Amino acid sequence: MANLHSIDEVKQQIPSVLDEIKTEITPLLTKGSVANYIPELGKVDPNRFGLAVRFLDGTTFEIGDSRTDFSIQSISKVFSLTKAFSILKEDLWQRVGKEPSGNPFNSLIQLENENGKPRNPFINAGALVIADIICSHYEEPLNKILKFIRELANNKQLKMNIGVLQSEKSYGHRNAALAHFMKSYNNIHSDVSEVLDCYFGHCSMEMNCVDIATAFLFLANHGTHPLTKKNYLSASQAKRLNALLLTCGTYDSAGDFAFKVGIPGKSGVGGGIAAIIPGLLTVCVWSPGLDKHGNSLAGTKALELFTTKTSISIF
Amino acid sequence: MANLHSIDEVKQQIPSVLDEIKTEITPLLTKGSVANYIPELGKVDPNRFGLAVRFLDGTTFEIGDSRTDFSIQSISKVFSLTKAFSILKEDLWQRVGKEPSGNPFNSLIQLENENGKPRNPFINAGALVIADIICSHYEEPLNKILKFIRELANNKQLKMNIGVLQSEKSYGHRNAALAHFMKSYNNIHSDVSEVLDCYFGHCSMEMNCVDIATAFLFLANHGTHPLTKKNYLSASQAKRLNALLLTCGTYDSAGDFAFKVGIPGKSGVGGGIAAIIPGLLTVCVWSPGLDKHGNSLAGTKALELFTTKTSISIF
Amino acid sequence: MANLHSIDEVKQQIPSVLDEIKTEITPLLTKGSVANYIPELGKVDPNRFGLAVRFLDGTTFEIGDSRTDFSIQSISKVFSLTKAFSILKEDLWQRVGKEPSGNPFNSLIQLENENGKPRNPFINAGALVIADIICSHYEEPLNKILKFIRELANNKQLKMNIGVLQSEKSYGHRNAALAHFMKSYNNIHSDVSEVLDCYFGHCSMEMNCVDIATAFLFLANHGTHPLTKKNYLSASQAKRLNALLLTCGTYDSAGDFAFKVGIPGKSGVGGGIAAIIPGLLTVCVWSPGLDKHGNSLAGTKALELFTTKTSISIF
Amino acid sequence: MANLHSIDEVKQQIPSVLDEIKTEITPLLTKGSVANYIPELGKVDPNRFGLAVRFLDGTTFEIGDSRTDFSIQSISKVFSLTKAFSILKEDLWQRVGKEPSGNPFNSLIQLENENGKPRNPFINAGALVIADIICSHYEEPLNKILKFIRELANNKQLKMNIGVLQSEKSYGHRNAALAHFMKSYNNIHSDVSEVLDCYFGHCSMEMNCVDIATAFLFLANHGTHPLTKKNYLSASQAKRLNALLLTCGTYDSAGDFAFKVGIPGKSGVGGGIAAIIPGLLTVCVWSPGLDKHGNSLAGTKALELFTTKTSISIF
């Protein structure tokens, strides 16, 4: 943050930066492909674009469809990981690794080579282990995690999209394969169907850009939500989770994301990407067209433009 | 850097932090294994430990064997990459990727699956492509790169260890395999022997902790060396190289390094690790005993203690 | 068969050959490990050994525990494949390959690299596709296949071991993973649970050496069972199935089996191995201790001794 | 061989079978692709087709370009293996495996996963180990092997194509990579350049269909050449080498070749395939157009037609 003279100076430039971003990414909106592995997701209009920035003091800047709900999908993995991390602490890493996978998000190959221990909590296999941990710990695991997301986002209205949920379940054979496979290595303890219910449940949650930016604020503030003052992770844990997001948060293009955007972030195949500038702000962008790695194409570009134009960088 | 009130406050705490680190890591010195894939490296005393911190203004803090020369090995890959990046700019990434490999540093598997394009410039295959780029660009590529390292370290006395160099060449069949393999994909343009000479040459350079910390200062200062004012990379390139170091700088434990240490760094099997806190300082640690991933065991712990005790973090 | 002067000469030598084999393999009986991936299988006495030879004219030679029932496990894959091959004919190979896998029998790696099409019908994934084909074709698929096995063995008393069946189902997460995984590629059409029921069902069948040798006779006789005269496969299909058994019948040691034993065969983790000398005879051996590839250790040696001592070879 | 009433009956039908084969494969001649990884090979006319059959008594049947020399390429691996097998006997298998690879012929992946021990002697890595064994054993290894091939073919005029040899050397980076890689695992003992010279040398030998059919006769006759009465392998070794050819002789389509053709064979990218019907005859076919696995497309079909039309089968 060497280029920043003050937070106020940063805030001042945001509105024009957002305008420029919207203009520059508009031609990209149609370049990506809307996720269609489940029919429900394929129905989204590819021309939607929204972005919201929230500072630690609650100041919000937004542009486009920043108040339109979309399917958060894998962004939800950050919430479930936070919950599991606060439960198991460093013991969590006995069950799941913290290395980039170098392979597509739903690959079984590395899992087989590494005896059923997923590379990191953001690939599907890892998120299923996280869901399993939550299932082992709570009576009503899905309700617990949904309630947790609502609390982080400070929005009691948030709910699952039942159509997406049904669709996930009907087409979820790859995830069922992952869960059964890990159960064969004893790295899933609950019933596979229960774990899948929890996992599909939190993935089918709907939120808008402002909700998500709000829900990520605790990661920009050493583990304590700056608006509610509730503490979720220790400063060290929050720092570590951010590091993990930088190295593993965007599937097998995490290196490229770090290279171009340069801040921790988490993407979902619904087209959303949440990112964190520690000590300063969070940003959430949404555009449904995906690149070949499953990240929002225009959304990634928008974040690259955001860090470039504001000269905000952690490096 | 949210916890830092001022650079002076940081500086004040460094001496006692270094003392604590030395005490805490001493029991670990014998836990690692000195690299022995070439006989020359295996001769080093595993009890050596040195650490040097350099601030952008040139202030230096050091402890232990910080002025003892050691074989820089893969740390040199940062220097050759800097040179190649300044030559080819973003075209560089046509020849080499920027994703974590998820595999050991000298693996051929990913190379085969990806048509001879190495995952990143820090695995051996990637560094050989970088050496090839330098061979294509300069008449005397090895001299050019050695001169460049001396300039960055501001030390004209630096030289290769000829014993290590001979040893590398005699035992370098794995690297020869990588180079021939990539040449079969047309991703090595010069003669394999010329590329290997350049690569083994810069890897066999000897430097001490202070030299290396000095040589890395430009990466903490947006591409311009703060002491000599010479510019090597643009601010954007320096930021990107730091991001690359964070995601790929420590072999297949880059995720763990980011998680625990939380700053960009580059390790070598000689036991050195150089790390960068952008906008503030560089640090170089040396301890010859390696963990199973090829990173200095006590050195990694020393850096983790350094960022923890000073509360310096980029996240 | 160049060394054979007549079938009668072969027959004459069999009794003494079997005696010698029993003597020579006895020290090996305790060298293998009884399969214990399901508790029920682990209960078998490792000192059991049986062998039965059946000529095309029905002549039988046997030694040891040749009338003791054991779990046929993967040997059953030959029966289900025969059924599916007779249903789909050459179209079968759209759904499953005919190449050696080069990987353990329950690997998902190759499956992922090859879009859910198993390498061959004898690895678990391939046998699940075969079970799926049978499920698509018959109302009561498991009954159909069990009836088919009883017909081939000419023994109406054959039945599943219910304890083994339950055990398979409880510990069958790896196979469930394979089936769900292939369903995600649309290479399983029925419900996963139905396919698993059929597969676990035929694997938990119990037979003795004489039953199995009888059931394999049609493969030694161009597709027609020599005792019942019923035709199951065309001569060309039978020849092809034998070729497939030679290249893929004994997991990832098929090459070694072909090298040492030199005839088509199929092993099961229950310790049985059925083998075929086309135009002449079938042989079934049983010894529960397995080598590291999952083939009966003493059983493989017994077959090697059998072909060596009788000088019978297809090569 | 159950369908054969007598060798004379077989011989009688051969001429008309060869005529039919030539007619049926003619439309396929242009369907394959001539090998072009080295320019010299790419110059061959794809419309060439030749076939020669030799019985153990020396009777020869031939059709088409059966007397035109072509580059034997990997067919030569059978000759070098025979030499190395006779030198090291069963100790050979310490250095090279006998399992199908399941991967392309020049893959490094399996080699890395299996510590530098090639899967079998017919993939390039395995053939390089074989060449290394010959280099360790003889003063003039290449001359020795060439002389051996001439002796087997009973033709002193056979020689290397120097243009192909030079071409191989210039484009041989993949094989150099394999050799260096195995040397890093200590599975190559001589100098890499010496091993490559021997390997490229025997691969660049030129022979015609009759030469090759003659040279393979010892494998159809328990290790003894039926025309010269010289013994090269024991009956057991010959049987085992045939088994190895069946499981591994045609790259990663060995299963398919066994399935369709049903006899041991070895292909080369020059378009030749040699095959063996133990106890009866050898056959060599040549057609330069290759399928995607590197086997002669029309040649494979010709052999399938040959075994089908003559009803000769080992199964």
Side-chain angles (χ1 to χ4, degrees):
Chain A
M1 278 175 282
N3 287 341
L4 302 183
H5 296 295
S6 77
I7 291 177
D8 283 346
E9 281 177 17
V10 177
K11 285 182 182 169
Q12 267 181 331
Q13 62 179 137
I14 300 287
S16 61
V17 163
L18 297 195
D19 281 340
E20 289 169 35
I21 289 173
K22 188 162 192 307
T23 306
E24 293 181 37
I25 63 89
T26 297
L28 298 177
L29 291 180
T30 52
K31 298 276 194 268
S33 310
V34 175
N36 59 3
Y37 73 101
I38 56 172
E40 284 293 322
L41 286 181
K43 297 175 183 167
V44 180
D45 174 5
N47 288 303
R48 309 302 293 271
F49 174 81
L51 191 151
V53 178
R54 291 214 82 179
F55 282 77
L56 295 190
D57 64 3
T59 317
T60 309
F61 297 89
E62 47 191 310
I63 195 162
D65 305 314
S66 57
R67 301 275 172 164
T68 306
D69 284 350
F70 59 89
S71 190
I72 66 170
Q73 295 292 324
S74 291
I75 294 175
S76 66
K77 294 172 182 173
V78 180
F79 306 134
S80 57
L81 171 61
T82 299
K83 202 73 188 159
F85 198 10
S86 71
I87 294 170
L88 287 191
K89 309 232 162 38
E90 295 300 317
D91 286 347
L92 180 68
W93 313 110
Q94 310 278 330
R95 302 277 304 276
V96 60
K98 39 190 175 329
E99 291 302 327
S101 80
N103 280 314
F105 63 93
N106 56 2
S107 172
L108 281 96
I109 291 179
Q110 235 154 18
L111 211 48
E112 178 165 345
N113 283 333
E114 292 165 18
N115 294 313
K117 183 178 177 181
R119 270 288 169 98
N120 67 62
F122 300 129
I123 54 174
N124 285 18
L128 287 164
V129 168
I130 297 299
D132 182 59
I133 290 167
I134 290 167
C135 287
S136 299
H137 201 76
Y138 295 111
E139 296 252 325
E140 295 194 302
L142 178 55
N143 277 347
K144 197 76 187 180
I145 192 78
L146 298 185
K147 203 170 147 245
F148 179 59
I149 296 174
R150 289 182 194 110
E151 182 182 303
L152 286 171
N154 206 10
N155 181 348
K156 292 187 178 162
Q157 310 306 317
L158 298 177
K159 56 184 192 299
M160 297 185 288
N161 179 319
I162 301 304
V164 168
L165 178 60
Q166 299 302 347
S167 210
E168 298 271 15
K169 286 185 182 178
S170 312
Y171 293 86
H173 291 290
R174 185 77 174 231
N175 286 309
L178 288 166
H180 278 291
F181 189 64
M182 292 188 290
K183 197 166 177 67
S184 78
Y185 286 106
N186 294 315
N187 200 19
I188 291 289
H189 303 162
S190 300
D191 276 357
V192 164
S193 63
E194 199 186 335
V195 173
L196 290 173
D197 281 352
C198 178
Y199 173 75
F200 290 140
H202 67 66
C203 283
S204 64
M205 198 77 169
E206 289 201 325
M207 297 170 79
N208 63 37
C209 291
V210 176
D211 290 329
I212 293 174
T214 306
F216 270 69
L217 275 173
F218 76 101
L219 283 172
N221 193 43
H222 312 297
T224 299
H225 202 297
L227 306 182
T228 65
K229 310 300 175 201
K230 278 202 75 165
N231 177 260
Y232 296 104
L233 294 176
S234 72
S236 166
Q237 286 175 321
K239 161 189 149 184
R240 288 174 171 219
L241 209 158
N242 283 332
L244 203 60
L245 283 168
L246 193 74
T247 54
C248 317
T250 44
Y251 309 129
D252 49 340
S253 64
D256 200 54
F257 189 87
F259 188 83
K260 289 183 180 153
V261 180
I263 54 174
K266 182 74 205 84
S267 56
V269 293
I273 311 175
I276 300 140
I277 297 175
L280 188 64
L281 58 79
T282 58
V283 51
C284 180
V285 63
W286 173 53
S287 163
L290 307 181
D291 64 22
K292 64 177 173 170
H293 297 290
N295 300 309
S296 172
L297 192 150
T300 303
K301 187 65 185 174
L303 290 174
E304 182 184 348
L305 292 170
F306 184 78
T307 55
T308 304
K309 288 174 186 290
T310 58
S311 295
I312 300 174
S313 168
I314 62 172
F315 294 116
Chain B
M1 278 174 282
N3 287 340
L4 302 183
H5 295 295
S6 76
I7 292 178
D8 285 344
E9 281 178 18
V10 178
K11 284 182 182 170
Q12 267 181 335
Q13 64 178 137
I14 300 286
S16 60
V17 163
L18 297 196
D19 281 340
E20 289 170 34
I21 289 173
K22 187 160 190 308
T23 305
E24 293 182 37
I25 63 89
T26 297
L28 298 176
L29 291 181
T30 53
K31 298 275 195 271
S33 310
V34 174
N36 58 3
Y37 74 101
I38 56 170
E40 284 292 321
L41 285 180
K43 297 176 184 167
V44 179
D45 175 6
N47 287 303
R48 309 303 293 268
F49 175 80
L51 191 152
V53 178
R54 291 213 83 177
F55 281 77
L56 295 190
D57 64 4
T59 316
T60 309
F61 298 89
E62 46 190 312
I63 196 162
D65 304 314
S66 58
R67 301 277 173 161
T68 305
D69 284 350
F70 59 88
S71 190
I72 66 170
Q73 295 291 324
S74 291
I75 294 175
S76 66
K77 293 171 181 172
V78 179
F79 306 133
S80 57
L81 170 61
T82 299
K83 202 74 189 159
F85 198 9
S86 71
I87 294 171
L88 288 191
K89 309 232 161 37
E90 295 301 317
D91 287 347
L92 180 68
W93 313 110
Q94 309 280 329
R95 301 276 303 275
V96 59
K98 39 191 176 324
E99 290 301 328
S101 80
N103 279 315
F105 63 93
N106 56 0
S107 172
L108 281 97
I109 291 178
Q110 236 155 15
L111 210 50
E112 178 164 346
N113 284 332
E114 293 164 21
N115 294 315
K117 183 179 177 180
R119 271 289 169 97
N120 67 61
F122 299 131
I123 53 174
N124 285 16
L128 287 164
V129 168
I130 297 299
D132 182 58
I133 290 167
I134 291 168
C135 286
S136 299
H137 202 75
Y138 296 111
E139 294 252 325
E140 295 195 301
L142 179 55
N143 277 347
K144 197 78 187 178
I145 192 79
L146 300 185
K147 205 172 145 238
F148 179 59
I149 296 175
R150 290 184 194 110
E151 181 182 303
L152 286 171
N154 206 9
N155 181 349
K156 292 185 180 164
Q157 310 306 318
L158 299 177
K159 55 184 191 302
M160 300 185 286
N161 179 321
I162 300 304
V164 167
L165 178 59
Q166 298 302 347
S167 211
E168 297 272 15
K169 286 185 182 178
S170 310
Y171 292 86
H173 291 290
R174 186 76 174 234
N175 286 309
L178 289 165
H180 278 290
F181 189 65
M182 293 188 289
K183 196 164 178 68
S184 77
Y185 285 106
N186 294 317
N187 200 18
I188 292 288
H189 302 161
S190 301
D191 276 357
V192 164
S193 62
E194 201 186 334
V195 173
L196 290 173
D197 281 351
C198 178
Y199 173 74
F200 289 140
H202 67 64
C203 283
S204 64
M205 198 77 167
E206 290 202 324
M207 297 170 80
N208 64 38
C209 290
V210 177
D211 291 328
I212 293 173
T214 306
F216 271 69
L217 276 173
F218 76 100
L219 283 171
N221 193 43
H222 311 299
T224 299
H225 202 299
L227 306 182
T228 64
K229 310 301 176 201
K230 279 201 73 166
N231 177 258
Y232 296 104
L233 295 176
S234 72
S236 167
Q237 285 176 320
K239 161 188 150 184
R240 288 173 171 217
L241 209 158
N242 283 332
L244 202 61
L245 284 167
L246 193 74
T247 55
C248 316
T250 44
Y251 308 129
D252 49 338
S253 64
D256 200 54
F257 189 87
F259 188 82
K260 288 183 181 153
V261 180
I263 53 174
K266 182 75 205 81
S267 56
V269 293
I273 311 175
I276 300 140
I277 299 175
L280 189 64
L281 58 80
T282 59
V283 51
C284 180
V285 62
W286 173 52
S287 162
L290 307 181
D291 64 22
K292 65 178 173 170
H293 296 291
N295 300 309
S296 172
L297 191 151
T300 303
K301 187 64 183 176
L303 291 174
E304 182 184 349
L305 292 171
F306 183 79
T307 55
T308 304
K309 286 174 187 290
T310 58
S311 294
I312 300 174
S313 169
I314 61 172
F315 294 117
Chain C
M1 279 176 280
N3 289 339
L4 301 183
H5 296 293
S6 76
I7 291 178
D8 284 345
E9 281 178 17
V10 177
K11 285 182 183 170
Q12 267 181 333
Q13 63 179 137
I14 300 285
S16 61
V17 163
L18 297 196
D19 282 339
E20 288 170 34
I21 289 173
K22 189 163 192 305
T23 306
E24 293 182 37
I25 63 89
T26 298
L28 298 177
L29 291 180
T30 52
K31 299 276 193 270
S33 310
V34 175
N36 59 3
Y37 74 100
I38 56 171
E40 283 293 322
L41 286 181
K43 296 176 184 166
V44 180
D45 175 4
N47 288 302
R48 309 303 293 269
F49 174 81
L51 190 151
V53 178
R54 291 214 85 178
F55 282 77
L56 294 190
D57 63 4
T59 317
T60 310
F61 298 89
E62 46 191 309
I63 195 162
D65 305 314
S66 58
R67 301 276 173 164
T68 306
D69 284 351
F70 60 89
S71 191
I72 66 169
Q73 294 292 323
S74 292
I75 294 174
S76 67
K77 294 172 181 174
V78 179
F79 306 134
S80 57
L81 171 61
T82 299
K83 202 74 189 161
F85 198 10
S86 71
I87 295 170
L88 288 191
K89 309 234 162 36
E90 295 300 317
D91 287 347
L92 179 69
W93 314 110
Q94 310 279 330
R95 301 275 305 274
V96 60
K98 39 188 174 331
E99 291 301 327
S101 81
N103 280 314
F105 64 92
N106 57 2
S107 172
L108 281 97
I109 291 180
Q110 234 153 19
L111 211 49
E112 178 164 347
N113 283 333
E114 293 165 18
N115 295 313
K117 183 179 179 181
R119 270 287 170 100
N120 67 62
F122 300 130
I123 53 173
N124 285 16
L128 287 164
V129 168
I130 297 298
D132 181 57
I133 290 166
I134 291 167
C135 285
S136 298
H137 201 76
Y138 295 111
E139 295 251 326
E140 294 194 302
L142 179 55
N143 277 346
K144 197 77 188 178
I145 192 80
L146 299 185
K147 203 169 148 245
F148 179 59
I149 296 174
R150 289 183 195 109
E151 182 182 303
L152 286 172
N154 207 8
N155 181 348
K156 292 187 177 160
Q157 310 306 318
L158 299 177
K159 56 184 191 300
M160 297 185 287
N161 179 320
I162 301 304
V164 168
L165 179 59
Q166 299 302 346
S167 211
E168 296 272 15
K169 287 185 181 179
S170 310
Y171 292 86
H173 291 290
R174 185 77 173 231
N175 286 309
L178 288 166
H180 278 290
F181 189 65
M182 292 188 291
K183 197 166 177 69
S184 78
Y185 286 105
N186 294 316
N187 200 19
I188 291 289
H189 303 162
S190 300
D191 275 357
V192 164
S193 63
E194 200 186 335
V195 173
L196 290 174
D197 281 352
C198 178
Y199 173 75
F200 289 139
H202 67 64
C203 284
S204 64
M205 198 77 168
E206 290 201 324
M207 297 170 81
N208 64 37
C209 290
V210 177
D211 291 329
I212 293 173
T214 306
F216 270 69
L217 276 172
F218 76 102
L219 283 172
N221 193 43
H222 312 296
T224 299
H225 202 298
L227 306 182
T228 64
K229 310 299 175 203
K230 279 202 72 165
N231 177 259
Y232 295 104
L233 294 176
S234 73
S236 167
Q237 285 176 321
K239 160 189 150 183
R240 289 173 172 220
L241 209 157
N242 283 332
L244 203 59
L245 283 168
L246 192 75
T247 54
C248 317
T250 44
Y251 308 129
D252 48 340
S253 64
D256 200 54
F257 189 87
F259 188 84
K260 290 184 181 150
V261 180
I263 53 174
K266 183 73 204 84
S267 56
V269 293
I273 311 176
I276 300 139
I277 298 176
L280 189 65
L281 59 79
T282 59
V283 51
C284 180
V285 63
W286 173 52
S287 162
L290 307 180
D291 64 21
K292 64 178 174 169
H293 297 289
N295 300 309
S296 172
L297 191 150
T300 303
K301 187 65 185 175
L303 290 173
E304 183 184 347
L305 292 171
F306 183 79
T307 55
T308 304
K309 287 173 187 291
T310 58
S311 294
I312 301 173
S313 169
I314 60 172
F315 294 115
Chain D
M1 278 175 284
N3 288 341
L4 303 183
H5 296 296
S6 76
I7 291 179
D8 284 343
E9 281 178 19
V10 178
K11 285 182 183 172
Q12 268 182 333
Q13 64 179 139
I14 300 286
S16 62
V17 163
L18 298 196
D19 282 340
E20 289 170 36
I21 289 172
K22 188 160 191 309
T23 306
E24 293 182 38
I25 63 88
T26 298
L28 298 176
L29 291 180
T30 52
K31 298 277 195 269
S33 310
V34 175
N36 59 3
Y37 73 102
I38 55 171
E40 284 293 320
L41 287 180
K43 297 175 184 167
V44 180
D45 174 5
N47 287 303
R48 309 303 294 270
F49 174 80
L51 191 152
V53 178
R54 291 214 84 177
F55 281 78
L56 295 189
D57 63 4
T59 318
T60 308
F61 297 89
E62 47 191 310
I63 197 163
D65 305 313
S66 57
R67 302 275 172 162
T68 305
D69 285 350
F70 59 88
S71 190
I72 66 169
Q73 294 291 324
S74 292
I75 294 176
S76 66
K77 293 172 181 172
V78 180
F79 307 133
S80 57
L81 171 62
T82 299
K83 201 76 189 159
F85 199 8
S86 71
I87 295 171
L88 288 191
K89 311 231 161 39
E90 295 301 317
D91 286 348
L92 180 69
W93 314 110
Q94 309 278 330
R95 302 277 304 275
V96 60
K98 41 190 175 321
E99 291 301 327
S101 82
N103 279 314
F105 63 92
N106 56 2
S107 172
L108 281 95
I109 290 178
Q110 237 155 15
L111 210 49
E112 178 165 346
N113 284 333
E114 293 164 19
N115 294 315
K117 182 178 178 182
R119 270 291 170 98
N120 67 61
F122 299 130
I123 53 173
N124 285 17
L128 287 165
V129 168
I130 297 299
D132 181 58
I133 290 167
I134 291 168
C135 287
S136 299
H137 201 75
Y138 294 112
E139 294 252 322
E140 294 195 302
L142 179 55
N143 277 347
K144 197 77 187 179
I145 193 79
L146 299 185
K147 204 171 145 240
F148 179 60
I149 296 174
R150 290 183 194 111
E151 182 182 302
L152 286 171
N154 206 10
N155 181 348
K156 290 186 179 164
Q157 310 306 317
L158 299 176
K159 55 184 192 298
M160 298 185 286
N161 179 320
I162 300 303
V164 168
L165 178 59
Q166 299 301 346
S167 211
E168 297 273 16
K169 287 186 181 178
S170 310
Y171 292 85
H173 291 290
R174 186 74 174 234
N175 286 309
L178 289 165
H180 278 290
F181 189 64
M182 293 187 289
K183 197 166 177 69
S184 77
Y185 285 105
N186 294 315
N187 200 19
I188 291 288
H189 303 161
S190 301
D191 275 358
V192 163
S193 63
E194 201 186 336
V195 173
L196 291 173
D197 280 352
C198 178
Y199 173 76
F200 289 140
H202 67 64
C203 284
S204 64
M205 198 76 167
E206 290 201 325
M207 297 170 79
N208 64 38
C209 291
V210 177
D211 291 327
I212 292 173
T214 306
F216 270 70
L217 276 173
F218 76 101
L219 283 172
N221 193 44
H222 312 297
T224 299
H225 202 298
L227 306 181
T228 65
K229 310 301 176 201
K230 277 201 74 166
N231 176 258
Y232 296 104
L233 295 176
S234 72
S236 167
Q237 286 176 319
K239 161 189 152 185
R240 289 173 171 217
L241 210 157
N242 283 331
L244 202 60
L245 284 168
L246 192 75
T247 54
C248 315
T250 44
Y251 307 129
D252 48 338
S253 65
D256 200 54
F257 189 88
F259 188 83
K260 289 182 181 154
V261 180
I263 53 174
K266 183 73 205 83
S267 57
V269 293
I273 311 177
I276 300 141
I277 298 175
L280 189 64
L281 59 79
T282 57
V283 51
C284 180
V285 63
W286 172 52
S287 163
L290 307 180
D291 64 21
K292 65 177 175 170
H293 296 290
N295 299 310
S296 171
L297 192 150
T300 302
K301 186 66 184 174
L303 291 173
E304 182 184 349
L305 291 171
F306 183 80
T307 55
T308 304
K309 286 173 186 291
T310 57
S311 295
I312 300 174
S313 169
I314 62 172
F315 294 116

